[in-house]
Amino acid sequence: MATASNAGKATPPSADMRLVPAAAGTWAVTLVCLYTGWQVASGVSCAGCLATVALAFLRGRRVNGAVVLVVLGAATAFCLVPRLHHVETHELRAAELHGESVGVRVELTRRPRPTDADPASGRGAGERSVVRAELRALRKGGEWHPIGGRALLLVPTSSWEDSLPGRRVRTTAVVVPPHGAGLLAAVLVVHQPPEELRAAPPVQRVAEGLRAGLREVCSRVLGSEAAGLLPGLVIGDTGALPATVREEFRKAGLTHLTAVSGANLAIVCGAALALLRLVRAPRPLAAAGAGCALLGFVVLAGGEPSVLRAAVMGGIGLLALVLGRGRATLPALAASVIVLLLVDPELAIRPGFALSVTATAALVLIAPGWSTALRGRGVPRGLAEALAVPAAAQLATGPVVVALSGEFSLVGVLANILAEPVVAPATVLGVAATLAAGIPRLGELLVWAAAPELEWILLVARRAADVPLATVPLPAGVFGAVLLAACAGLVLLGARFRATRRWTVLGACLALVVMLIVPAAVRPPWPPGGSWSLVACDVGQGDALVLATGVRDTAVVVDTGPSAALVGECLDRLGVERVPLLVLTHPHADHFAGIAGVADGRRLGRVALGGACRGAWRGTGVRARIAEAGAREVRLAAGQRLGWPGLVLEVLAPAADGCRAAGERINDASTVLKATTPAGRVLLTGDIELAAQRRLLGSGERLRAEVLKVPHHGSRYTSEEFLRAVSPELALISVGHGNDYGHPSAAIVATLRSSGALVRRTDHRGDIAVLGDPGRLRVVGSGNPLRPEE
């Protein structure tokens, strides 16, 4: 019997957890099989069959649940065996084909996405793009032979950017072995336009026309930042979003707004539901209408696997609506996880899938209880939900985010609370503008109506990112995720049980000490062994080099890499507080997107923008960041010299008319510098390739240097003649671990070593510091003790 104090209060139904172990087991089996291969998958399948037979002789509810779990695990492994066997024995996996050119026919399954930037910093406006495809045929001996399997293509952006899913093409590519787990047969590096065999389906062409219409209307009506944000909110297209804005969204914990997720679909379906409810449509009819809206949005957003995943997650809410009970939501989520993993096992290793599942589970399991508790304390219903939803999502996804990035946003909950109220109206207006883009006045009016909401989101992201300690560095990987999860668990226990609150709060504080203070206390001084002249920061697939000026706490920085967090941490470890000159060699995001990490908390003097053509930096957002930092933009050209007490810089390229010489090759227009340091001469080459190297060789410049920053992350487009002209004692290669480009080229590394150069890579050594004097160079990596023989 309900007491008087509980009268009138509805008790929320408990979650139905019966399918959760099955979903978790399916995910675990998939991970194990993907990382170990088809032999282990066969063993798991056989063991599952034997266990099923043994359990069949037992009785009881728990036994029945165990049987379901074992059968699902065995079925998962059994389905993976032929896929993994096909991948591991694929023709393109043959060692003799690695580095060789082959002719292939492929069917594209995703749109090309520029990959100059790191995943944490978003997309860049680079020359290379990545596109996934299904292999259809391989040319052998002059004849075409059918072939299956998945491939990842690295293609020129300019000639492939109009490619759509479903398009069949023929091309020639260089075979590179894939890295890590998954079902990729090979990575194919393409350097030519595609030869079309079959156009994309009409529905894809119509959807692309609508997307292009939205981009065009936005560019006419909105400023550059808002024009890049609206397509991101609507369809996850961040191609025009400046890199500085992407970095602010990352620090503010708002990156999820610019990725197609269940939230986008929920907004669109919610708008359709509200419209149908307004005309008093029955619940089944309203759900069917919302389902049609969901399918239309999937087509509009491209129909890619990430969109389909989001559609499944968004459809969970529709299922709960049709069934009319909240308890159906969690079983639907668990069932969708099982089905998705069986259909596409690679989702098990996709960060986006883990984030989607954990966020959706938080909204089902945690947010309702928190919202009810807040309402019980007098908080209005709308405000209670606005507080509970982002807080629950942040808590659930926090360990996954920390494992991936080594950072946790302290301002994410507040930023989401401030931004969320305008996200839905902006998204609905954006979808309407997309559909009305062919009607110029109407489309422009709808985009104009979304402008205030977009500016508010941008303002929230900017202010949140400027907060000191907006993100807290934590150990990346499993260790950091477990620590954060333990800390969050203690806080939840303390909130739930008053008797243990004091001890759980104490435990949470101790966990924070372990995460924040202990790593800093045990970290050795960096760099060890005395003063440094040059440091190549480990910023992933990008460049960021720091040159000591001979003035305390002051250094010149050349490029910033793709991540503000990584370059900022590198400068913090070196104690750099003033940067009189920042050189951005060319407008590719893996060289400039981390500019916020150099500017924030440091005095930035001048910023030199390379790339020869002044207009090449339009749309990157770099100039806005320079103005915010109070810095001054300058131009560098061959012949200029700049000096500090312990550093002299000489500009070797580009020439004053380099814009005409470089044409559209942005890499070849990179600023090239020769630095004179206490450790000797250092040649900094940006991403120059063969044409620019030939120009330098023919210019009569003295290229000899003790230290060479190897061009373009060790790309094979570096000539032996150029390397012989430099003849370095030390070759530094700034490169990301497991990158899909095949950098650095094994041939280039072998050439450098055969000439007597010591080769050091950031993906192997971490930050690399150059110490000592000419003739007795010493090199140390942040992940390794100082080695005197180096």
Side-chain angles (χ1 to χ4, degrees):
M1 180 180 294
T3 64
S5 60
N6 291 329
K9 291 185 180 180
T11 303
S14 59
D16 187 344
M17 306 286 288
R18 285 175 296 179
L19 273 181
V20 172
T26 302
W27 201 335
V29 169
T30 304
L31 281 173
V32 169
C33 294
L34 287 178
Y35 278 100
T36 56
W38 68 271
Q39 296 93 338
V40 172
S42 300
V44 171
S45 179
C46 293
C49 293
L50 293 175
T52 303
V53 173
L55 289 171
F57 292 98
L58 302 176
R59 295 179 180 274
R61 178 180 297 181
R62 292 184 179 180
V63 172
N64 292 338
V67 169
V68 172
L69 185 60
V70 171
V71 168
L72 269 175
T76 301
F78 180 78
C79 293
L80 277 169
V81 170
R83 296 189 185 188
L84 290 169
H85 182 268
H86 179 258
V87 168
E88 294 178 27
T89 59
H90 200 278
E91 293 179 68
L92 293 180
R93 287 286 184 108
E96 58 268 19
L97 283 181
H98 293 168
E100 297 297 322
S101 293
V102 296
V104 291
R105 292 174 179 167
V106 298
E107 180 175 326
L108 308 185
T109 56
R110 300 190 189 181
R111 289 176 288 166
R113 297 183 183 276
T115 56
D116 279 315
D118 185 271
S121 66
R123 293 164 55 185
E127 292 181 330
R128 308 291 292 173
S129 291
V130 61
V131 58
R132 286 182 173 265
E134 291 286 340
L135 294 161
R136 296 303 181 194
L138 175 68
R139 188 170 59 207
K140 295 189 298 183
E143 297 183 356
W144 291 94
H145 299 269
I147 190 174
R150 299 178 179 181
L152 190 73
L153 276 63
L154 294 172
V155 300
T157 298
S158 57
S159 55
W160 287 71
E161 61 184 352
D162 59 346
S163 296
L164 298 172
R167 184 188 189 194
R168 288 196 178 184
V169 300
R170 178 168 55 201
T171 189
T172 301
V174 176
V175 181
V176 178
H179 296 278
L183 297 176
L184 282 181
V187 175
L188 303 175
V189 183
V190 181
H191 299 286
Q192 63 190 44
E195 181 182 345
E196 185 167 275
L197 301 177
R198 189 189 73 185
V203 66
Q204 289 287 352
R205 297 200 297 270
V206 171
E208 177 58 26
L210 292 173
R211 294 190 292 265
L214 175 63
R215 292 191 291 267
E216 183 181 350
V217 172
C218 288
S219 64
R220 290 200 307 264
V221 177
L222 304 172
S224 60
E225 293 184 348
L229 177 58
L230 186 57
L233 287 178
V234 176
I235 53 175
D237 182 0
T238 58
L241 191 64
T244 51
V245 177
R246 292 196 295 270
E247 181 63 20
E248 290 167 350
F249 271 54
R250 184 191 64 80
K251 294 179 72 174
L254 297 174
T255 304
H256 64 93
L257 297 181
T258 58
V260 176
S261 64
N264 300 73
L265 293 155
I267 290 170
V268 173
C269 293
L273 277 173
L275 183 61
L276 290 167
R277 287 289 183 87
L278 189 64
V279 297
R280 300 183 181 278
R283 176 177 289 178
L285 180 59
C292 292
L294 185 148
L295 292 175
F297 186 82
V298 167
V299 173
L300 178 63
E304 298 176 359
S306 60
V307 179
L308 295 174
R309 180 196 71 221
V312 173
M313 296 301 171
I316 294 171
L318 288 178
L319 179 61
L321 175 70
V322 172
L323 297 178
R325 35 182 198 153
R327 295 186 76 246
T329 309
L330 189 61
L333 172 62
S336 69
V337 169
I338 296 170
V339 172
L340 284 170
L341 289 174
L342 290 174
V343 172
D344 187 2
E346 279 192 311
L347 288 175
I349 58 174
R350 299 289 178 223
F353 184 67
L355 290 170
S356 291
V357 173
T358 52
T360 306
L363 300 184
V364 174
L365 296 174
I366 303 175
W370 287 6
S371 178
T372 301
L374 289 172
R375 291 201 307 272
R377 287 169 172 78
V379 179
R381 182 185 184 92
L383 179 58
E385 292 179 352
L387 292 171
V389 168
Q394 187 89 351
L395 176 73
T397 60
V400 180
V401 172
V402 169
L404 295 171
S405 65
E407 292 181 338
F408 182 70
S409 176
L410 295 180
V411 298
V413 173
L414 180 59
N416 277 278
I417 290 172
L418 293 174
E420 282 294 341
V422 300
V423 170
T427 302
V428 172
L429 288 169
V431 172
T434 304
L435 299 176
I439 310 173
R441 295 294 183 187
L442 180 57
E444 291 177 2
L445 179 63
L446 292 167
V447 169
W448 177 81
E453 294 93 321
L454 299 172
E455 294 297 338
W456 173 250
I457 296 172
L458 291 167
L459 178 64
V460 169
R462 188 173 300 116
R463 293 292 178 261
D466 288 340
V467 172
L469 288 177
T471 57
V472 176
L474 297 173
V478 176
F479 178 64
V482 171
L483 280 177
L484 183 61
C487 184
L490 289 172
V491 171
L492 289 177
L493 284 174
R496 185 174 182 85
F497 302 108
R498 182 174 298 178
T500 60
R501 186 168 299 171
R502 180 181 302 173
W503 295 107
T504 53
V505 170
L506 178 60
C509 291
L510 289 175
L512 286 174
V513 169
V514 171
M515 288 189 289
L516 302 177
I517 299 177
V518 172
V522 302
R523 184 182 297 128
W526 172 254
S531 60
W532 55 276
S533 295
L534 167 70
V535 172
C537 298
D538 179 13
V539 291
Q541 184 66 11
D543 275 3
L545 297 109
V546 188
L547 296 156
T549 62
V551 180
R552 184 178 178 180
D553 305 330
T554 303
V556 169
V557 179
V558 180
D559 287 327
T560 67
S563 168
L566 294 178
V567 70
E569 291 168 6
C570 180
L571 293 174
D572 289 342
R573 288 192 291 269
L574 296 171
V576 175
E577 297 178 1
R578 293 183 293 274
V579 180
L581 176 66
L582 167 62
V583 180
L584 302 178
T585 58
H586 63 291
H588 278 168
D590 59 333
H591 290 255
F592 74 77
I595 184 174
V598 178
D600 291 350
R602 272 171 277 272
R603 291 171 55 187
L604 181 59
R606 295 171 291 174
V607 180
L609 301 183
C613 297
R614 188 176 179 83
W617 290 91
R618 187 177 298 114
T620 61
V622 167
R623 287 196 170 94
R625 174 59 70 175
I626 293 173
E628 289 176 12
R632 180 165 59 93
E633 179 185 339
V634 297
R635 300 288 293 177
L636 297 180
Q640 289 180 256
R641 292 174 66 89
L642 304 96
W644 292 267
L647 174 68
V648 175
L649 288 180
E650 180 183 356
V651 184
L652 303 186
D657 60 349
C659 187
R660 291 192 298 274
E664 295 182 355
R665 298 291 298 175
I666 296 178
N667 285 343
D668 281 332
S670 297
T671 298
V672 180
L673 302 170
K674 189 174 184 180
T676 302
T677 75
R681 295 161 294 183
V682 181
L683 188 63
L684 304 169
T685 57
D687 275 359
I688 61 171
E689 296 180 339
L690 298 175
Q693 293 165 21
R694 284 194 297 268
R695 285 198 297 272
L696 280 173
L697 290 168
S699 67
E701 294 285 356
R702 290 172 295 178
L703 301 179
R704 177 77 176 86
E706 283 73 30
V707 181
L708 169 67
K709 199 292 293 184
V710 179
H712 201 181
H713 322 296
S715 160
R716 65 193 184 98
Y717 297 106
T718 300
S719 70
E720 291 188 24
E721 184 183 5
F722 179 78
L723 297 178
R724 286 196 301 269
V726 181
S727 187
E729 297 176 24
L730 170 67
L732 299 177
I733 303 178
S734 184
V735 65
H737 176 71
N739 68 87
D740 291 326
Y741 298 95
H743 293 163
S745 164
I748 297 301
V749 173
T751 299
L752 287 164
R753 286 177 174 159
S754 65
S755 66
L758 180 69
V759 178
R760 289 291 177 261
R761 302 164 45 167
T762 57
D763 60 336
H764 290 174
R765 299 275 173 160
D767 296 346
I768 301 173
V770 180
L771 318 173
D773 306 315
R776 51 188 302 271
L777 285 177
R778 291 180 294 156
V779 188
V780 59
S782 61
N784 301 276
L786 183 64
R787 298 182 179 180
E789 68 270 16
E790 293 182 350

